[in-house]
Amino acid sequence: MGAGWIVSMIVAGVVCIVILAIAIPMDRKYVVREYGKINYKKTKIFLRWNVFDTLTICLAIYSLLCVQVLNLLITSGATVENVFVQFFTNQAQAFTIVSMVYLISRVSMTLKSIKERWGDEIE
């Protein structure tokens, strides 16, 4: 393992801890659960822009910048032995996946919430 890969894993771990430090209290405070399941009719946070959405946009921009820097490094002749190439490769992969998974889950929860609240009126 190269130094860039190790540093990238440390950075990804720190960012994930920050994300969880924001997401877990927000989930406990705003998501209404009944019998262990989310009550989409009472939970209003899925229909509003929240801090986690802003954080996800920032992660998406960060992953885009990582991809662009990686592209710049590769076109300038850097190889995979370069620690910066290793770092930006891992960062771009990790946070692109995180951003896409969150986007899919967010859209799914928003659609479920809309269906629970206004399902009869929409159809």
Side-chain angles (χ1 to χ4, degrees):
M1 277 190 267
W5 190 82
I6 294 170
V7 172
S8 176
M9 295 309 283
I10 293 169
V11 170
V14 169
V15 171
C16 287
I17 289 170
V18 169
I19 290 170
L20 291 175
I22 293 170
I24 291 172
M26 186 186 74
D27 183 67
R28 289 184 180 165
K29 185 176 181 179
Y30 294 109
V31 175
V32 178
R33 296 187 191 280
E34 293 176 350
Y35 307 110
K37 292 187 176 185
I38 297 174
N39 185 340
Y40 289 100
K41 199 169 204 169
K42 293 181 182 177
T43 303
K44 297 178 182 176
I45 195 160
F46 298 130
L47 299 174
R48 297 181 183 164
W49 188 267
N50 56 50
V51 175
F52 202 57
D53 294 328
T54 305
L55 183 65
T56 305
I57 293 294
C58 292
L59 283 177
I61 292 169
Y62 177 69
S63 65
L64 181 72
L65 290 174
C66 286
V67 169
Q68 293 304 317
V69 170
L70 180 63
N71 188 22
L72 182 70
L73 287 170
I74 300 271
T75 55
S76 67
T79 62
V80 85
E81 285 85 23
N82 187 332
V83 293
F84 293 112
V85 171
Q86 294 171 7
F87 177 81
F88 287 115
T89 299
N90 289 325
Q91 292 291 296
Q93 277 183 329
F95 292 116
T96 301
I97 292 170
V98 168
S99 297
M100 289 303 298
V101 166
Y102 178 72
L103 174 69
I104 292 167
S105 67
R106 175 73 171 154
V107 168
S108 172
M109 286 187 264
T110 302
L111 290 175
K112 285 179 186 177
S113 186
I114 290 170
K115 184 177 180 186
E116 285 292 320
R117 287 176 179 255
W118 301 291
D120 298 333
E121 297 172 15
I122 293 174
E123 295 175 20

